[in-house]
Amino acid sequence: MTESSSETMTPTRRLLILLLVVIISGLSQGLLLPLLAIMLESSGVSPGLNGFNAASMYIGSFVSMFVVERILLALGFKRILIACILLETAALVLLPVWENLAFWFLLRFTIGFGNSILHYTTQLWILTSAPPDRRGRYISYYGMAYGIGFSLGPAGINLLSFGRFAPFFIVAVFYLLVALLLTKLPKQPLQTGDKQAPAKKRYGTAVRIAWFALIPTFLYGYTEAVLNGSFPLYGLRMGLTDTSVSMLLPLVGIGGLILQLPLGILSDRIGRKPVLLAAAVGGGTAFMAVPLAGDSILGIGLLLFAAGGMIGSFFSLGLAYAADLLPRDLLPSANVIGSILFSLGSVIGPNLGGLGLQYISLGSLFYTLGSVFLIFVISGFAFKGTRRQGTERETESRAL
């Protein structure tokens, strides 16, 4: 396909290709986390070393945020996505070649680095290209795509019956297929108003204008890490079985998937802020009610499902709200801040939750989790951000 023909690609097809990239990326992450842990466990690696090795992926994600803007400015959306996919594919196929901790640490760092840039780029491309009145809907599609891929990923563990290379090979093939689809997209550089503005000034301005819209990225990371890292301990100490815990935890993600699109559409109609505030009240209340359910699997399950439905859109809606408030040239900086806040939340969450379980009470895990959302609601009354008008209609001709 020629460049001119790719320029005539329909908005729907462009969006579908980007969402397919996100699905495969989510599938890769959902598969690698449990698969590599199982492989190391079967090799006799201690849980401590296993966890430390897994952390290299998050270290790679964090490091990528310090260079992603410059890389994106140099390469543009399309080329950086293809480069990241090729980088991740190379690391994937090398993983089963040599099961060495140092070697895997480097490869997982590489995968985390590339995957973080891939998500940053797809988020930003969708945000900057979507019509303002449909931005919530489009970024909700992004959240749903990642959730679907991440949920399907663990099923790939069953491919081990065909050999240790099979799961990695299948994901690598999927990645290469979406890379081929990406070549059909038109080249689109990142458009900014002042590329030479000092980083400190850009980040400071983004925080000053949209600090409230960026907090949800921290809360989403905090919640995800608390539930994945500390809820299993809570459940076991409440007397639940391993099977029960494994059945309850996915309900948070299922709730988020179901309400992701409706909340996104609603935010387009009535505004991002009221939807975020209402979701925070509902999610925070549901979390604080979990201890009241005792060891009832049904009660805990219903509350986690409700809470997940409310807060499952926080990351995407927060970024969409920031895009409403900020000029286009500050969106890359805002996305970097959001990704860093997500990482900080992911680190603080399980540590704070673990200390509460150890020194306060079992219920403190959910009381604290619910409280941070209610504090977010209170802070919302102090935020008077104003949505920009008319500055992005020029993008609708290129809208996804």
Side-chain angles (χ1 to χ4, degrees), residues 202-267:
R202 286 185 284 110
Y203 294 147
T205 303
V207 170
R208 178 176 56 81
I209 296 175
W211 60 268
F212 179 76
L214 294 171
I215 293 177
T217 60
F218 172 87
L219 294 176
Y220 186 85
Y222 179 91
T223 303
E224 184 181 78
V226 165
L227 293 176
N228 289 330
S230 299
F231 175 71
L233 300 178
Y234 173 88
L236 294 175
R237 295 188 181 190
M238 286 294 296
L240 303 180
T241 64
D242 293 349
T243 302
S244 297
V245 171
S246 66
M247 291 172 58
L248 287 169
L249 202 51
L251 292 176
V252 179
I254 294 173
L257 278 175
I258 292 175
L259 290 185
Q260 181 92 220
L261 183 57
L263 289 178
I265 295 175
L266 183 63
S267 75

Side-chain angles (χ1 to χ4, degrees), residues 1 95 115 186 202 209 226 275 281 305 329 360 375 384 395:
M1 179 179 290
L95 277 168
N115 196 65
R202 286 185 284 110
I209 296 175
V226 165
V275 172
V281 171
F305 177 83
D329 60 299
I360 304 178
I375 292 172
K384 306 298 181 182
T395 67

Side-chain angles (χ1 to χ4, degrees), residues 46-377:
S46 69
L49 280 176
N50 201 326
F52 177 74
N53 197 262
S56 62
M57 189 175 297
Y58 299 103
I59 296 173
S61 297
F62 185 75
V63 170
S64 71
M65 289 299 101
F66 294 97
V67 298
V68 64
E69 278 192 275
R70 282 173 286 178
I71 298 176
L72 184 53
L73 284 170
L75 299 180
F77 290 107
K78 174 180 173 179
R79 287 188 290 179
I80 197 174
L81 284 177
I82 294 175
C84 286
I85 286 176
L86 295 179
L87 182 68
E88 288 191 61
T89 302
L92 270 171
V93 297
L94 288 174
L95 277 168
V97 172
W98 186 25
E99 193 171 315
N100 175 275
L101 284 177
F103 184 59
W104 274 23
F105 188 95
L106 177 62
L107 292 179
R108 294 174 93 163
F109 177 94
T110 302
I111 291 172
F113 184 91
N115 196 65
S116 181
I117 294 179
L118 183 148
H119 281 287
Y120 173 90
T121 304
T122 51
Q123 291 164 12
L124 191 59
W125 200 346
I126 291 173
L127 283 172
T128 56
S129 301
D133 60 345
R134 282 178 281 170
R135 184 177 285 131
R137 179 182 306 196
Y138 282 18
I139 200 64
S140 294
Y141 290 150
Y142 162 85
M144 291 177 63
Y146 181 77
I148 291 170
F150 194 85
S151 299
L152 292 175
I157 295 174
N158 297 317
L159 294 172
L160 283 174
S161 59
F162 297 99
R164 60 185 285 111
F165 284 85
F168 303 96
F169 177 77
I170 294 299
V171 176
V173 169
F174 285 155
Y175 261 138
L176 292 177
L177 289 175
V178 295
L180 288 175
L181 289 175
L182 282 171
T183 62
K184 308 297 184 181
L185 292 179
K187 293 179 182 179
Q188 184 174 336
L190 177 62
Q191 299 176 354
T192 61
D194 184 3
K195 299 179 182 180
Q196 303 305 317
K200 183 177 181 180
K201 180 179 179 181
R202 286 185 284 110
Y203 294 147
T205 303
V207 170
R208 178 176 56 81
I209 296 175
W211 60 268
F212 179 76
L214 294 171
I215 293 177
T217 60
F218 172 87
L219 294 176
Y220 186 85
Y222 179 91
T223 303
E224 184 181 78
V226 165
L227 293 176
N228 289 330
S230 299
F231 175 71
L233 300 178
Y234 173 88
L236 294 175
R237 295 188 181 190
M238 286 294 296
L240 303 180
T241 64
D242 293 349
T243 302
S244 297
V245 171
S246 66
M247 291 172 58
L248 287 169
L249 202 51
L251 292 176
V252 179
I254 294 173
L257 278 175
I258 292 175
L259 290 185
Q260 181 92 220
L261 183 57
L263 289 178
I265 295 175
L266 183 63
S267 75
D268 286 333
R269 293 178 179 174
I270 69 173
R272 239 66 79 181
K273 183 178 178 180
V275 172
L276 283 169
L277 292 177
V281 171
T285 302
F287 279 134
M288 296 183 76
V290 169
L292 302 180
D295 59 357
S296 169
I297 295 177
L298 177 61
I300 295 174
L302 289 174
L303 289 169
L304 290 181
F305 177 83
M310 291 292 101
I311 57 88
S313 302
F314 252 57
F315 189 91
S316 56
L317 283 183
L319 291 180
Y321 191 20
D324 292 339
L325 300 169
L326 295 167
R328 284 174 57 87
D329 60 299
L330 290 180
L331 289 184
S333 300
N335 272 44
V336 168
I337 296 170
S339 297
I340 292 175
L341 288 175
F342 174 85
S343 298
L344 289 175
S346 299
V347 172
I348 293 173
N351 283 287
L352 191 60
L355 290 174
L357 289 175
Q358 183 174 353
Y359 295 109
I360 304 178
S361 68
L362 290 180
S364 68
L365 180 73
F366 286 101
Y367 294 140
T368 303
L369 187 55
S371 296
V372 296
F373 282 96
L374 298 183
I375 292 172
F376 169 73
V377 173

